[in-house]
Amino acid sequence: MEGFRGTSQDTLVIKAPKRSPLILRTVVILFVMVCGVYICSITVKQSNAGDKSTDRYLNVDTKDQTCPDITGVEESQLQYLHYPKPKTFTRDECACNPVRYFAILSMQRSGSGWFETLLNNHTNVSSNGEIFSVAARRSNVSTVLDTMDKVYNLDWFTSASKNDCSAAVGFKWMLNQGLMKHHAEVAEYFNRNGVSAIFLFRRNPLRRMISVLANSYDSKAKLLNGTHKSHVHSPLEAKILANYKPTVPVKSLVQELVQVEEDSAKAISYFNSTRHIVLYYEDLIRDRTKLVDVQKFLKLPYRELKSRQVKIHTGPLSHHVANWDEIKKTLNGTSYEKFLHSSY
C-alpha cells in the first residue's frame, strides 16, 4: 500500500507548451485578411456579372461649379438638363449650356426622315439619324446602351452634329430595330438619364404600307440613274419614283393593318412611364403649329423649321397602286375603309 501511495507522488505531469501570443495574433490577422479579399472578389464578380442597365448612369450630369445657376426652370424639369463632357472634344464656352436628350420612336416610311430634317434645321438640335439600322449596334442590350451613351455624351459624329452648343441631341429609332425587344431596359435608361421620347406614327397605315412596298422595290430597281433613294429633294425625282405602282397583297392586308396598330399601341404603353409626346405625320403636314408643340416639348427657342425633302406619293391612293379595286373590295365594310379616302 505504501508503494502505491508513493507512486502518486512521483506521477509525471506533462503540460502543453505555451504558444506565443504574437504567433496567434498573426494567424488571426492573416485569416481575416484572406476572408476579406475573398468576399470582396465575390462581390466584384457579382456586380460585373449583373445587367449593366441596372447600374448605368451617364457621367454627364455634374454641372461645373463655375456655371451660374439656372433660373426659371421648374424643379421637375431639372432631371432633363444635362452637361455632357465629351471624350473627343471640349465644349469650351458652351460647357455651361444644358443639353436635353430625345429619341424619335417610329416605323419605317412614317415620315421620320422628313421630321428629322425639320428638327436638324433648328440651330440648336442634333438628331443623328437611324443609328440602330446597323445590326451590330443592337446585337444585345449592352451594345444598345453603349451606343446611346456615345450619342448623349456628344461623342457620336454625323452630318447633323452641332456638338459644342447643342441644346438638344438625339436620334431616330425604328420599333423593329431592337427597341421592342429591349423595351424594359431602354425605358429604364430613358427614365434614369432624362431622355424624352417623341413618337411619330401615321394615322393611315395603308399609305405607309404602299410606301414600304414602293421603297422596297426601288432598293433593287434603283430607278434614279442606278441609285436607290429613300428620300428625294426634287419634284422630278419624286415623280419618277411615284410612277411605280406596287401590288398590295390583299389576303394579308387587314391583318397587317391590325398588326401596325397593335405595335404602335404597344410601344406607347411600354414607354408610358417616360416623358413623351405622340405625333402623327398627317397632323404635322396639315397643321404646322404642331412643330411649335415639338419645340416647346424640347424646351427650344422657337424657330421656323424647313425641310428640302419632297413628298413622293401625293394625291389619291388609287393613283399609286396596281390593284386598287381589290384593295377597295377588301377594306369596304371594315373599320379600315376610311383609309381608302385619305389624301395623306
Side-chain angles (χ1 to χ4, degrees):
M1 295 295 292
E2 290 178 1
F4 181 78
R5 284 196 298 270
T7 59
S8 65
Q9 295 174 0
D10 297 329
T11 302
L12 180 61
V13 178
I14 300 176
K15 294 183 179 180
K18 292 183 179 180
R19 295 182 180 177
S20 171
L22 179 60
I23 295 175
L24 287 173
R25 202 173 291 124
T26 303
V27 170
V28 171
I29 291 174
L30 286 173
F31 179 75
V32 171
M33 289 175 64
V34 170
C35 289
V37 171
Y38 176 76
I39 292 170
C40 287
S41 65
I42 293 297
T43 303
V44 170
K45 286 180 181 178
Q46 289 177 341
S47 175
N48 290 339
D51 187 351
K52 290 184 179 181
S53 66
T54 58
D55 273 333
R56 197 180 195 91
Y57 285 88
L58 273 171
N59 185 26
V60 297
D61 291 330
T62 305
K63 185 172 68 171
D64 194 303
Q65 296 300 317
T66 61
C67 295
D69 291 333
I70 298 176
T71 59
V73 178
E74 297 178 8
E75 187 174 348
S76 62
Q77 289 295 309
L78 292 177
Q79 65 175 311
Y80 301 104
L81 300 180
H82 310 282
Y83 299 85
K85 296 178 179 178
K87 298 177 181 178
T88 49
F89 68 97
T90 59
R91 297 188 71 207
D92 296 328
E93 71 274 9
C94 298
C96 292
N97 289 11
V99 179
R100 291 178 181 269
Y101 302 155
F102 68 88
I104 305 166
L105 311 183
S106 187
M107 297 180 180
Q108 285 86 353
R109 313 310 294 174
S110 294
S112 61
W114 168 74
F115 177 71
E116 189 175 47
T117 62
L118 289 168
L119 287 184
N120 279 325
N121 189 237
H122 196 290
T123 311
N124 305 111
V125 176
S126 295
S127 190
N128 293 281
E130 203 171 312
I131 61 175
F132 288 112
S133 62
V134 179
R137 296 172 189 160
R138 60 177 194 267
S139 58
N140 57 63
V141 70
S142 293
T143 58
V144 167
L145 302 184
D146 287 341
T147 300
M148 287 195 289
D149 280 353
K150 290 180 182 178
V151 172
Y152 294 131
N153 203 43
L154 304 185
D155 286 318
W156 193 272
F157 297 104
T158 67
S159 59
S161 302
K162 300 182 177 72
N163 294 320
D164 290 13
C165 290
S166 293
V169 62
F171 59 94
K172 62 175 182 171
W173 198 349
M174 303 297 104
L175 301 191
N176 62 354
Q177 293 174 350
L179 179 63
M180 302 294 272
K181 180 180 179 180
H182 303 300
H183 66 87
E185 294 88 348
V186 174
E188 185 181 10
Y189 181 99
F190 281 12
N191 282 322
R192 186 183 300 116
N193 293 294
V195 180
S196 299
I198 302 174
F199 288 100
L200 178 62
F201 298 125
R202 293 194 74 152
R203 291 193 180 277
N204 189 338
L206 177 59
R207 275 193 172 267
R208 173 186 172 272
M209 183 185 297
I210 293 169
S211 181
V212 168
L213 292 171
N215 186 63
S216 177
Y217 172 80
D218 186 67
S219 67
K220 301 178 181 66
K222 297 179 174 56
L223 299 175
L224 296 174
N225 297 320
T227 302
H228 170 57
K229 291 186 179 181
S230 295
H231 308 99
V232 298
H233 298 94
S234 77
L236 177 59
E237 289 179 326
K239 183 178 179 180
I240 292 172
L241 293 182
N243 282 335
Y244 170 71
K245 298 182 179 182
T247 298
V248 176
V250 293
K251 287 185 178 180
S252 59
L253 176 55
V254 172
Q255 184 54 44
E256 289 191 29
L257 294 176
V258 170
Q259 189 64 54
V260 169
E261 288 188 337
E262 289 181 351
D263 288 346
S264 302
K266 194 180 293 184
I268 294 172
S269 69
Y270 284 160
F271 292 87
N272 193 47
S273 64
T274 67
R275 181 175 183 267
H276 65 275
I277 185 174
V278 181
L279 303 173
Y280 292 94
Y281 171 76
E282 292 86 348
D283 297 346
L284 292 170
I285 290 289
R286 295 190 188 102
D287 184 3
R288 297 304 287 261
T289 63
K290 294 293 181 181
L291 292 175
V292 178
D293 296 339
V294 174
Q295 293 179 74
K296 287 181 179 178
F297 176 73
L298 293 176
K299 308 297 181 183
L300 296 169
Y302 174 74
R303 297 287 186 273
E304 185 71 30
L305 303 181
K306 298 178 181 179
S307 172
R308 292 178 52 241
Q309 282 193 14
V310 177
K311 186 173 173 61
I312 296 172
H313 297 102
T314 60
L317 271 178
S318 57
H319 295 176
H320 302 294
V321 292
N323 58 333
W324 177 244
D325 290 337
E326 286 184 304
I327 296 172
K328 279 201 306 180
K329 183 178 178 180
T330 302
L331 297 185
N332 277 336
T334 72
S335 59
Y336 301 112
E337 182 179 355
K338 59 187 177 183
F339 298 146
L340 297 170
H341 313 296
S342 171
S343 59
Y344 286 100

